[in-house]
């Protein structure tokens, strides 16, 4: 008999934790997963990826009908917004998927321990009133919203909200101010703009979407402005007062000075997320955090404490569901004695706006800082499918090493950029050159042909330009 209740206890049932738990069980280990939320699936399924995509998808249809792009194709409709029903289909998607994880836990014999988990020692964890022992503990506690001092979020009042509140607004705000021009601000700002809100994005930096390729950031700003968003770049919010259903924000230039005020019916605070470690009892196992409040691990996801592992948003790297999932699989495999690896150089990122924005690998700026590069770029305007579908905005950019031609990064702005980026990630995993992509037969007519043409552009030979 083992001296422990379980081989593996996972803390947190988000995409990192639930995937790790299932993989560990598939590998024959006895597994439990502690989750304090009422439902499984973490931020992603409950208040993140899935509900935001449900609102993005529905609002995209609304705008296509209301904003004229359907009329362009000979379909005249006057849409009527039933926001209650739109929210209901969002909740339905969330309910179905979170129940699906519950089913997968049962199928794989993963025990769900309901409650907040806290370390007693490295192999003993209190979950609510229960004490659970495990040979290995995986911390997969995720992240939550970074607060902005002076701008207090109150999701119940629906005036100053975070992403969770912004998914649930009961009425379309007339004027919405989004603080932070990152992924959440642009996705949820897009939802409410499409449904009729006047949206202003206040961003501290001089461009949207930090971390993305410079050309992509510039083009994104042009596209969002064309869609009617007001962008206040290089601007910071210095305060917020709420009276009844109205908020007044004070703004200053990021460099200081030039104070102005901005009124809004709804303010979305989306300035980033921070790791969840409060109350975990890390002091009881002697595990310290880095300067950004994250848990450091080795490539195998072991922490400095023997038997304790960590994955997902709580460790360094992009805060993305698929990154957390892949780490969950690799970590479980390592615990089972296999060799689990995640290639952190090839993690795609997608912004699910219209058009979508995606990228994988290095930005042109980062690639150039490392050595000589060749770049091929192809506009979606010249892609037959995008043009036929009335989707002219965007481009594909392929960045390759000037000497070896190995692909270092691919960036796309296109209606289906999120789907297109998968082939680039796979090509890079296989160490592809731009020539490999250029000489791969791509189906016609597809948006993906733009990736082939951009790859052909690396050596100066696109056909349709
Ligand atoms: P989480 O999903 O945060 O899960 C951690 C879980 O641990 C939570 O359920 C929490 O309740 C639980 N927990 C924490 N502490 C304890 C404790 N002490 N005891 C028990 N349980 C605990 N990423 C994408 O890749 N694509 C997207 O489209 C996307 N959209 C997003 C939209 C929004 C609005 C938001 C907010 C995020 C989005 N993300 C997206 C990011 C994605 O949700 C996260 O990167 C992902 O959920 C991280 O997974 P995780 O398993 O590390 O943590
Ligand atoms: P983010 O880091 O993407 O963007 C935050 C933005 O706020 C940045 O542009 C930053 O410069 C700006 N900012 C910071 N402080 C500010 C201030 N005081 N005033 C004005 N601007 C300020 O963070 P997010 O949009 O909150 O998203 C959080 C995380 O969730 C991200 O890491 C992202 O990866 C993840 N997420 C992913 C998706 C997706 O994959 N589609 C969708 C939503 C969220």
């Amino acid at each position: 008999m083992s001296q422990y209740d379980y081989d593996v206890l996972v803390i947190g049932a988000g995409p990192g934790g639930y995937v790790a738990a299932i993989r560990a069980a598939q590998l024959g280990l006895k597994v439990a997963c502690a989750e304090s939320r009422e439902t499984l699936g973490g931020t992603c399924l409950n208040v993140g990826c899935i509900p935001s995509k449900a609102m993005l998808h529905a609002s995209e249809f609304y705008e296509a009908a209301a904003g004229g792009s359907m009329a362009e194709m000979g379909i005249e409709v006057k849409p009527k917004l039933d926001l209650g029903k739109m929210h209901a289909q969002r909740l339905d998607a969330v309910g179905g998927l979170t129940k699906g994880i519950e089913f997968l836990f049962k199928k794989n014999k993963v025990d769900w321990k309901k409650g907040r988990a806290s370390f007693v020692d490295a192999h003993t964890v209190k979950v609510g009133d229960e004490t659970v022992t495990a040979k290995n503990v995986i911390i997969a506690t995720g992240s939550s919203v970074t607060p902005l001092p002076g701008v207090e979020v109150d999701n119940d009042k629906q005036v100053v909200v975070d992403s969770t509140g912004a998914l649930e607004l009961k009425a379309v705000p007339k004027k919405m101010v989004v603080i932070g021009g990152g992924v959440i601000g642009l996705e949820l700002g897009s939802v409410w703009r499409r449904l009729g809100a006047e949206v202003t994005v206040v961003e501290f930096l001089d461009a949207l979407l930090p971390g993305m390729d410079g050309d992509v950031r510039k083009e994104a700003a042009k596209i969002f402005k064309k869609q009617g968003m007001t962008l206040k770049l290089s601007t910071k919010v210095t305060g917020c007062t709420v009276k009844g259903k109205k908020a007044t924000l004070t703004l200053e230039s990021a460099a200081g000075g030039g104070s102005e005020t901005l009124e809004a019916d709804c303010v979305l605070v989306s300035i980033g997320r921070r790791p969840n470690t409060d109350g975990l009892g890390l002091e009881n196992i002697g595990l310290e955090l880095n300067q950004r409040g994250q848990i450091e691990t080795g490539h195998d996801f072991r922490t400095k404490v023997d038997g304790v592992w960590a994955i997902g948003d709580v460790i360094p790297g992009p805060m993305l569901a698929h990154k957390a999932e892949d780490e969950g699989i690799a970590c479980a495999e390592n615990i089972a004695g296999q060799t689990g690896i995640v290639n952190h150089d090839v993690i795609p990122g997608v912004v699910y706006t219209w058009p979508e924005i995606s990228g994988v690998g290095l930005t042109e700026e980062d690639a150039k800082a490392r050595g000589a590069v060749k770049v091929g770029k192809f506009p979606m305007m010249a892609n037959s499918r995008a043009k036929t579908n009335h989707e002219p905005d965007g481009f594909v950019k392929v960045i390759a090493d000037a000497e070896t031609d190995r692909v270092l990064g691919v960036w796309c702005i296109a209606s289906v950029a999120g789907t297109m980026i998968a082939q680039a990630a796979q090509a890079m995993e296989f160490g592809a050159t731009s020539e490999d992509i250029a000489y791969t037969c791509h189906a016609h007519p597809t948006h993906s042909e733009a990736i082939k043409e951009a790859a052909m552009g690396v050596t100066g030979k696109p056909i349709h330009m």
Side-chain angles (χ1 to χ4, degrees):
M1 257 242 342
S2 162
Q3 67 183 107
Y4 301 110
D5 300 332
Y6 291 94
D7 297 314
V8 181
L9 170 67
V10 184
I11 306 180
Y18 85 71
V19 167
I22 291 172
R23 175 57 112 221
Q26 285 172 341
L27 292 169
L29 301 173
K30 191 176 177 207
V31 184
C33 181
E35 172 56 59
S36 54
R37 219 182 267 273
E38 290 298 308
T39 47
L40 301 173
T43 303
C44 174
L45 269 61
N46 288 282
V47 292
C49 324
I50 296 303
S52 61
K53 266 77 255 178
M55 294 304 279
L56 278 158
H57 186 64
S59 61
E60 209 168 280
F61 276 91
Y62 180 81
E63 187 174 45
S69 67
M70 276 171 77
E72 239 182 299
M73 292 179 275
I75 309 162
E76 302 268 358
V77 278
K78 264 210 169 123
K80 184 167 163 275
L81 178 63
D82 183 342
L83 188 55
K85 207 164 174 179
M86 199 178 273
H87 283 312
Q89 61 90 38
R90 164 179 61 82
L91 292 170
D92 195 46
V94 169
L97 290 170
T98 55
K99 279 264 173 275
I101 308 299
E102 223 175 302
F103 165 79
L104 289 174
F105 269 18
K106 280 192 190 128
K107 188 176 163 204
N108 288 286
K109 301 192 173 48
V110 173
D111 289 342
W112 174 9
K113 303 282 175 192
K114 298 184 185 181
R116 270 200 93 67
S118 181
F119 281 97
V120 177
D121 62 44
H123 300 282
T124 312
V125 175
K126 269 199 85 96
V127 187
D129 296 333
E130 195 181 347
T131 300
V132 182
T133 62
K135 187 169 183 203
N136 297 280
V137 181
I138 304 177
I139 304 172
T141 47
S143 64
S144 39
V145 176
T146 305
L148 177 59
V151 187
E152 202 180 319
V153 167
D154 184 343
N155 284 335
D156 291 336
K157 279 201 187 135
Q158 304 217 319
V159 180
V160 182
V161 296
D162 59 20
S163 57
T164 302
L167 285 166
E168 297 187 335
L169 299 180
K170 291 194 183 76
V172 179
K174 259 180 106 144
K175 287 190 179 184
M176 181 176 208
V177 174
V178 172
I179 309 178
V183 195
I184 292 182
L186 293 170
E187 286 188 355
L188 295 181
S190 290
V191 166
W192 296 106
R193 182 198 57 71
R194 292 167 186 170
L195 298 180
E198 246 176 65
V199 175
T200 301
V201 178
V202 181
E203 166 58 49
F204 185 78
L205 300 175
D206 61 359
L208 303 172
L209 296 170
M212 290 212 148
D213 182 85
D215 275 347
V216 168
R217 298 174 74 186
K218 265 190 232 141
E219 187 67 16
K222 270 195 225 156
I223 292 172
F224 291 122
K225 265 195 221 161
K226 196 167 81 180
Q227 292 176 353
M229 273 191 190
T230 304
L231 305 182
K232 285 187 172 290
L233 303 178
S234 306
T235 305
K236 64 181 173 193
V237 172
T238 51
C240 174
T241 51
V242 177
K243 270 202 188 131
K245 291 267 161 208
K246 290 245 180 272
T248 307
L249 293 167
T250 46
L251 313 181
E252 263 182 34
S253 116
S259 174
E260 62 170 311
T261 59
L262 202 56
E263 299 236 309
D265 309 292
C266 182
V267 175
L268 164 60
V269 180
S270 50
I271 60 161
R273 294 177 62 82
R274 60 181 189 184
N276 287 333
T277 54
D278 283 354
L280 250 185
L282 295 183
E283 62 287 356
N284 298 335
I285 58 170
L287 189 56
E288 284 180 4
L289 303 175
N290 69 14
Q291 281 191 328
R292 304 187 61 196
Q294 298 158 323
I295 297 174
E296 294 279 352
T297 69
H299 288 301
D300 52 4
F301 307 104
R302 279 175 207 275
T303 68
K304 288 208 171 102
V305 179
D306 203 31
V308 178
W309 311 66
I311 55 170
D313 280 10
V314 80
I315 72 170
M319 288 181 162
L320 294 172
H322 41 280
K323 178 241 184 205
E325 286 188 43
D326 285 9
E327 290 178 347
I329 290 173
C331 182
E333 290 176 349
N334 288 327
I335 288 173
Q338 300 184 350
T339 307
I341 293 170
V342 176
N343 179 3
H344 285 102
D345 291 337
V346 183
I347 309 261
V350 181
V351 189
Y352 295 86
T353 46
W354 181 269
E356 292 178 348
I357 302 169
S358 65
V360 61
L362 297 179
T363 63
E364 186 175 341
E365 296 75 23
D366 286 345
K368 277 184 172 155
R370 294 179 188 200
V373 297
K374 281 191 182 165
V375 175
K377 218 171 147 183
F378 190 80
M380 293 314 292
M381 180 86 110
N383 171 270
S384 60
R385 186 66 182 279
K387 199 166 163 53
T388 307
N389 287 4
H390 311 272
E391 298 160 352
D393 288 335
F395 59 80
V396 174
K397 178 172 176 178
V398 173
I399 303 154
D401 184 294
E403 208 176 307
T404 63
D405 191 36
R406 195 172 168 146
V407 177
L408 303 173
V410 177
W411 296 88
C412 310
I413 303 185
S415 58
V416 290
T419 306
M420 289 162 71
I421 205 66
Q423 80 154 100
Q426 195 158 39
M428 286 172 68
E429 267 305 331
F430 284 101
T433 60
S434 79
E435 192 182 46
D436 290 329
I437 299 179
Y439 284 100
T440 299
C441 189
H442 285 62
H444 173 77
T446 57
H447 297 79
S448 296
E449 286 173 288
I451 293 193
K452 176 187 170 102
E453 294 259 18
M456 289 167 102
V458 171
T459 42
K461 299 176 297 195
I463 296 289
H464 295 95
M465 277 237 298

